[in-house]
Amino acid sequence: MRLKGKVAIITGGASGIGECMVDLFSSEGAIVIAADINEAALEKANQKKNVYGMKLNVASDEEWQVLAKEVNDRFGKIDILVNNAGIASEKPFQEINLDDWQKMLAINGFGPFAGMKHVAPYMAAQKQGSIINISSYTAQIGQGYNHYSASKGAVRAISKAAATTFGWQGVRVNALFPGIIETPMTKALSTSKELLGQLIQATPLQRLGKPEDIANAALFLASDESSYINGAEIVIDGGFSAQ
Ligand SMILES: NC(=O)c1ccc[n+]([C@@H]2O[C@H](COP(=O)([O-])OP(=O)(O)OC[C@H]3O[C@@H](n4cnc5c(N)ncnc54)[C@H](O)[C@@H]3O)[C@@H](O)[C@H]2O)c1
């Protein structure tokens, strides 16, 4: 019960890494709000103990404002925010246009920014809180000349800046940098055995990541065990980007 009595919002909580975090955090005693744009998928979340599915488009400033207030009013506080919702794209760089760029940056970049903007004040009011932003290994090394990497670079930069902005009010902000994790987002990879084999070969730990690998690190950052960790970056990629 490492999160006993805590109230957590996890965006993108209806699938993949987010869904895994929802299950782990609730099993560790938290009340979890699984916030996602996919309402149909949230029905499953709503059937879980201590989990509340709420519709949220993370790219909407207004929806964030309403959700943060609603959670705080209903549960009395917000202790944890995981900015995990995101989209990816396989488009080659020659085909990426301004609309693609703006949509990607709106969801993957503005989403976490707006989440912190609206939730951190509630955390600051109780002088404690933990925010975990999900970036990507592509924000750290030269992989992916595209809008996805740019959006994850934005997450990296605002996470550091937020740690120095909200830390003074007792709110910690840290970021996770997953490598390739087996989720619906990366399911296309499994259709090519050759590519899959190459990726595994290129990873020192000789496997792809699992949602649990990210959820366990998020649990540590969400819990009081990490109470002096603020502005940290944890890469979870089996050593791929260390090469
Ligand atoms: N899977 C990987 O290999 C990998 C690697 C590095 C980083 N990440 C990041 O981890 C996070 C989770 O990825 P995943 O693999 O679990 O993906 P996923 O596609 O399984 O889940 C993403 C979730 O985000 C939700 N979502 C999308 N747009 C939204 C919006 N506008 N508002 C609210 N919710 C929205 C989706 O409905 C979905 O439930 C993402 O930010 C992703 O970029 C994933």
Side-chain angles (χ1 to χ4, degrees), residues 111-182:
F113 170 78
M116 293 194 284
K117 171 184 161 185
H118 290 293
V119 171
Y122 291 111
M123 293 176 163
Q126 58 170 2
K127 296 195 165 42
Q128 67 93 21
S130 175
I131 297 174
I132 299 136
N133 293 328
I134 310 302
S135 180
S136 163
Y137 75 110
T138 60
Q140 297 216 337
I141 57 171
Q143 285 260 324
Y145 175 56
N146 58 25
H147 47 347
Y148 179 77
S149 300
S151 71
K152 293 301 182 178
V155 174
R156 184 182 191 189
I158 57 166
S159 297
K160 286 263 186 206
T164 64
T165 301
F166 301 121
W168 304 99
Q169 292 140 13
V171 179
R172 302 184 290 114
V173 184
N174 296 291
L176 298 180
F177 297 76
I180 295 174
I181 313 299
E182 291 176 283

Side-chain angles (χ1 to χ4, degrees), residues 31-236:
I31 288 170
V32 182
I33 290 80
D36 205 290
I37 200 164
N38 185 342
E39 282 186 279
L42 282 176
E43 279 170 27
K44 191 168 140 207
N46 268 323
Q47 285 157 18
K48 296 174 181 172
K49 196 172 163 237
N50 289 332
V51 177
Y52 301 84
M54 288 174 80
K55 200 241 158 200
L56 171 74
N57 175 6
V58 295
S60 165
D61 213 9
E62 294 74 26
E63 288 190 27
W64 261 118
Q65 185 174 25
V66 170
L67 181 121
K69 184 173 185 310
E70 207 173 314
V71 172
N72 193 67
D73 287 352
R74 186 159 168 194
F75 300 103
K77 59 178 184 161
I78 308 172
D79 301 300
I80 300 158
L81 168 65
V82 186
N83 282 308
N84 162 79
I87 56 168
S89 166
E90 297 302 320
K91 257 193 184 183
F93 73 85
Q94 296 91 338
E95 290 171 22
I96 294 166
N97 59 34
L98 186 57
D99 283 346
D100 297 324
W101 185 276
Q102 286 174 336
K103 183 180 177 201
M104 183 68 76
L105 269 289
I107 296 172
N108 289 8
F110 184 73
F113 170 78
M116 293 194 284
K117 171 184 161 185
H118 290 293
V119 171
Y122 291 111
M123 293 176 163
Q126 58 170 2
K127 296 195 165 42
Q128 67 93 21
S130 175
I131 297 174
I132 299 136
N133 293 328
I134 310 302
S135 180
S136 163
Y137 75 110
T138 60
Q140 297 216 337
I141 57 171
Q143 285 260 324
Y145 175 56
N146 58 25
H147 47 347
Y148 179 77
S149 300
S151 71
K152 293 301 182 178
V155 174
R156 184 182 191 189
I158 57 166
S159 297
K160 286 263 186 206
T164 64
T165 301
F166 301 121
W168 304 99
Q169 292 140 13
V171 179
R172 302 184 290 114
V173 184
N174 296 291
L176 298 180
F177 297 76
I180 295 174
I181 313 299
E182 291 176 283
T183 71
M185 187 179 270
T186 53
K187 69 173 181 298
L189 289 176
S190 56
T191 57
S192 166
K193 284 216 156 44
E194 197 190 337
L195 177 59
L196 204 60
Q198 283 168 3
L199 287 166
I200 292 168
Q201 281 292 310
T203 303
L205 290 185
Q206 293 285 286
R207 68 169 174 88
L208 299 185
K210 298 182 192 315
E212 292 77 12
D213 296 318
I214 312 305
N216 281 322
L219 171 62
F220 169 65
L221 291 173
S223 77
D224 295 337
E225 294 157 28
S226 59
S227 63
Y228 199 53
I229 300 181
N230 184 35
E233 300 186 334
I234 303 180
V235 180
I236 309 167

